[in-house]
Structures are given as structure tokens and as C-alpha cells.
Amino acid sequence: MRFVDARTADERCWTEVGASDGTVVVSTTLDAVAAAAGELVAAGRKPDTPLTVTVAGTTTRQRTWNATLGTIAQVFKQGKVLPSPEGHRPVIAVVGERSAPAQRDRLSWFESKPLFGWRVLVPRTKEQAASLSDQLRSYGAVPHEVPTIAVEPPRTPQQMERAVKGLVTGRYEWIAFTSVNAVKAVREKFEEYGLDARAFAGIKVAAVGEQTAAALVDFGVKPDLVPSGEQSAAGLLEDWPPYDPVFDPIDRVFLPRADIATETLVAGLIELGWEVDDVTAYRTVRASPPPADTREAIKGGGFDAVLFTSSSTVRNLVGIAGKPHNVTVIACIGPATAKTAEEHGLRVDVLSPEPSVHKLAEALADFGTRRRESALEAGDPVTRPSERRPGARRRRTT
């Protein structure tokens, strides 16, 4: 294998590599690839010699073209790669059988990921989005967290204080957690009183879904009830036992939750015969606007997709940053969130099959896979959604 820097190579160098039939790695720039290919053909290489050109290798901006020495100029022209202000970008061109498309396709596990290079907006805090962002990275995406909701203590803490004391003194048969934030609110109140997970002894604990259950386990509490089906208030009610005065010495449920939570769980528990202490454990307020460059990227189509995990994330994102550009793929966690998105003039492209953030990310990855396969079948270049907006390539930065 021979390495050539096209920017410093002289005629003798081109003659030597042209006379050989071995693999040549050429370091050059995007706008000089065709000229380097011409030098090799002039020096004796066959025009049908395979050629692979890679720009921004090993990064999420990586892009690769397969051609031959004789066709690379036409491939660039058809793909509208050049002329472009990006023509000065450095590239690696591999010439010879080792660059053959079949070889590259076999080894190109990174660039063929379903969301390769996609900038995905996640309207959650870094703390809330940690596992979701890791999942998106595994699909090749670049997640960008933007908090749309801030969590604050209730305006009047007395109700929460009475409920926690009642928890310790045996007032409740059950405590139901409907969010990670509810777990955090109760945990903070416990720590304020010098309590720990042992205070849950003798009390049945329910969690609305896997993430809430994981937060409880981290607190040292293993939930007694997690929905076996849909991870939602409705799913929790499906599995919740009716009150039985023979088996249940106490008929009361402690429900710490957000100030804007729906009444679904309260009404369902009452219908099952339970008394419910519906307590505001925390308030959700609209977060501060993100930085100006993030707002511009949202409105200008700089993001390839956005994941909406609730109706409030739709309303709050639009309120603090503006409406996402119409090229941005909109993915929603469920029908209610999708309806809110549509009410705000957004086109919903992806709907999660289950109300789970991880199923939502999986659904977006499936969408990306189908999009990629359709482009390949049509013989079109595989591009990201943000590259469809006018002037996208001109404004893109390295």
C-alpha cells in the first residue's frame, strides 16, 4: 500500500504510483479528488480502477462515495457535491481493489447505522434524558438535550408534609408513584425528616412504569406493582386490585404527583373502592429559553428529528424556542402528544407503538432505516432530513 499527499506530490510520484497496481491512499481535498484521479489515469492506472472517497471519517459527519477513477467526477456532479464552499475539506481517497464497494459495505457498520449523523432534539434535562440519549447514540445519532420543563416545590408544602407523616404513622395501604419526579420529591422530603427507605415498611408501593420503578429501586424500594401492559395510569389501573375490607386493613392511597397531572388515576382508584389523598408533590413550570443558536437551529431546520415525550413538551418547546422547521422529523410518544403536535401545525412522522421513551427512540430508528433503504433502492444519496432544507449544505459547519 502506498500513501500519497496530492497537495505535495510531483510528476515523478504520480508516475510511480500509476505504474503500480497496488492500493494507493491519497490525501487530498474534496474539490481536488477528480484532478488526483486524472493524474493516476494519465500515469497508467485503468479508468475502471475502484475508488472510495471519505470525508470527515470516523465522525458523525462521515460521508463516503464509491466510484472509479474514470467516473468520480460524474458521481460528484450527479450528487451535486461540487461546486461547494466545502470543497476545501480534507478527504481520504482509497484507490484499488481494497476500496471495492463490496469490501466497504461489509465493513461500514458505523456509517450504516439507522440514524447516522442525525441531530436529534430531546426536550428533557440531561438527567432525565441520560439513558434515552445513550440509546440514540447507539443508533448513530447526536442527541441534544433542551429542558422544556422545570420542576419546583409546591407553593404550599403543608399538604405534602402531612402526607409523609401519615405514611410513617400507618395512614396508607398504598403509595403510587406516577413519575420519576414524584419519587424524587418524596425522597427529598424523607431526607429532610431524616427518613430512608425503611419508612415504606408495611406499605404497598406502585410505579406507573419501568423508569419510575428504577428510580424507586435506586432509592432502596422494590415496587409491589408495575403495569404488566401499557406503562401509563390506565395500565396501572388495569392491574390495581379493588379495595377488599377483609384483606386490606386500610382503604387509603397516597398519590404524590405533579400539579398538572390528569385525574385518570384518581378517578379509577375511587371507582375501585379506594380513598385517595391526591397530593401535589411538585410543580412543573416552563423552562427558560435555550441559547439563541439552539433556537435558530430548531426554527431553521438544523435538527433532523425531535422526540416529544408529552403534550407539555410540545407546548413548552414551541413556547420557548419556536416551531420546528417542516423538514424536521417529528416523533411522538402517543396519540395525545401527536394530537397536540398537530394542533401546533406540526406533521407527525413517527408514533411510538407504546408509551415508552425507549420504544419511541426505537420507532425513530426504524423510520431512519426505512428512509435509508428507500434512498438506496432508488439510487439516491443517503442524506439526513436537515440536508433537505434550502441552503443546508452551504450553512453546514464542520
Side-chain angles (χ1 to χ4, degrees):
M1 182 180 293
R2 178 77 180 270
F3 177 83
V4 176
D5 187 337
R7 290 162 293 191
T8 59
D10 55 20
E11 185 177 346
R12 178 181 176 184
C13 178
W14 289 119
T15 301
E16 289 178 359
V17 295
S20 168
D21 60 0
T23 299
V24 179
V25 178
V26 181
S27 174
T28 184
T29 57
L30 197 58
D31 54 7
V33 170
E39 292 281 4
L40 287 169
V41 171
R45 283 293 181 112
K46 295 180 179 179
D48 61 357
T49 302
L51 169 68
T52 296
V53 179
T54 301
V55 62
T58 75
T59 74
T60 52
R61 294 291 187 183
Q62 179 176 309
R63 192 174 178 193
T64 305
W65 296 269
N66 290 314
T68 66
L69 291 175
T71 62
I72 186 62
Q74 185 64 21
V75 167
F76 277 3
K77 182 178 180 180
Q78 290 176 344
K80 298 181 180 178
V81 178
L82 295 171
S84 164
E86 296 180 327
H88 64 281
R89 297 177 73 189
V91 301
I92 293 294
V94 182
V95 182
E97 292 304 323
R98 291 191 183 184
S99 71
Q103 179 87 344
R104 183 205 166 235
D105 291 344
R106 182 173 63 84
L107 299 175
S108 184
W109 60 271
F110 182 55
E111 195 175 338
S112 61
K113 286 188 173 185
L115 300 177
F116 176 75
W118 285 39
R119 290 187 70 202
V120 180
L121 183 66
V122 183
R124 314 184 94 189
T125 63
K126 286 185 180 296
E127 181 182 50
Q128 291 176 315
S131 61
L132 175 58
S133 292
D134 285 344
Q135 183 180 359
L136 290 168
R137 289 188 190 95
S138 75
Y139 298 138
V142 182
H144 186 90
E145 295 97 353
V146 173
T148 59
I149 296 173
V151 176
E152 296 183 358
R155 287 193 174 89
T156 54
Q158 292 81 5
Q159 187 187 29
M160 183 68 168
E161 291 169 356
R162 285 195 300 270
V164 170
K165 290 176 182 176
L167 192 71
V168 177
T169 58
R171 176 177 170 81
Y172 302 106
E173 181 76 10
W174 282 91
I175 180 171
F177 290 97
T178 58
S179 69
V180 172
N181 283 327
V183 176
K184 183 179 179 182
V186 170
R187 186 171 183 171
E188 288 175 351
K189 191 60 69 173
F190 268 36
E191 291 170 354
E192 183 181 324
Y193 290 140
L195 301 172
D196 57 28
R198 289 173 291 185
F200 287 103
I203 300 171
K204 300 185 185 74
V205 180
V208 77
E210 293 175 1
Q211 285 188 299
T212 305
L216 282 166
V217 171
D218 184 62
F219 186 20
V221 180
K222 183 178 180 180
D224 300 282
L225 177 62
V226 179
S228 57
E230 179 181 307
Q231 295 186 29
S232 64
L236 191 60
L237 286 170
E238 286 288 331
D239 293 338
W240 197 291
Y243 171 67
D244 189 328
V246 176
F247 296 103
D248 300 311
I250 304 168
D251 67 350
R252 193 168 294 275
V253 177
F254 174 22
L255 179 58
R257 61 179 190 149
D259 58 331
I260 60 171
T262 62
E263 303 299 320
T264 301
L265 188 54
V266 175
L269 290 172
I270 292 173
E271 191 173 331
L272 289 169
W274 295 95
E275 294 289 332
V276 182
D277 278 2
D278 183 14
V279 178
T280 298
Y282 60 95
R283 291 183 301 122
T284 55
V285 297
R286 182 178 290 180
S288 301
D293 58 342
T294 300
R295 298 197 302 271
E296 177 57 33
I298 291 170
K299 293 182 289 187
F303 286 101
D304 298 288
V306 56
L307 298 183
F308 285 121
T309 55
S310 67
S311 290
S312 59
T313 59
V314 178
R315 290 190 293 268
N316 288 349
L317 182 71
V318 172
I320 66 176
K323 190 169 73 172
H325 194 281
N326 60 15
V327 300
T328 306
V329 174
I330 306 298
C332 295
I333 200 167
T337 303
K339 182 180 178 183
T340 303
E342 289 168 349
E343 288 172 351
H344 282 76
L346 300 175
R347 178 201 66 251
V348 177
D349 304 288
V350 178
L351 188 64
S352 176
E354 298 176 23
S356 156
V357 293
H358 296 295
K359 289 294 183 182
L360 175 59
E362 191 176 292
L364 179 63
D366 290 342
F367 176 88
T369 297
R370 293 193 300 271
R371 190 174 181 279
R372 176 185 176 83
E373 290 174 347
S374 295
L376 292 173
E377 288 175 6
D380 296 330
V382 178
T383 59
R384 301 190 315 279
S386 62
E387 293 177 315
R388 291 164 45 201
R389 71 193 196 281
R393 290 187 178 279
R394 292 192 295 275
R395 289 195 298 269
R396 189 174 65 184
T397 58
T398 56

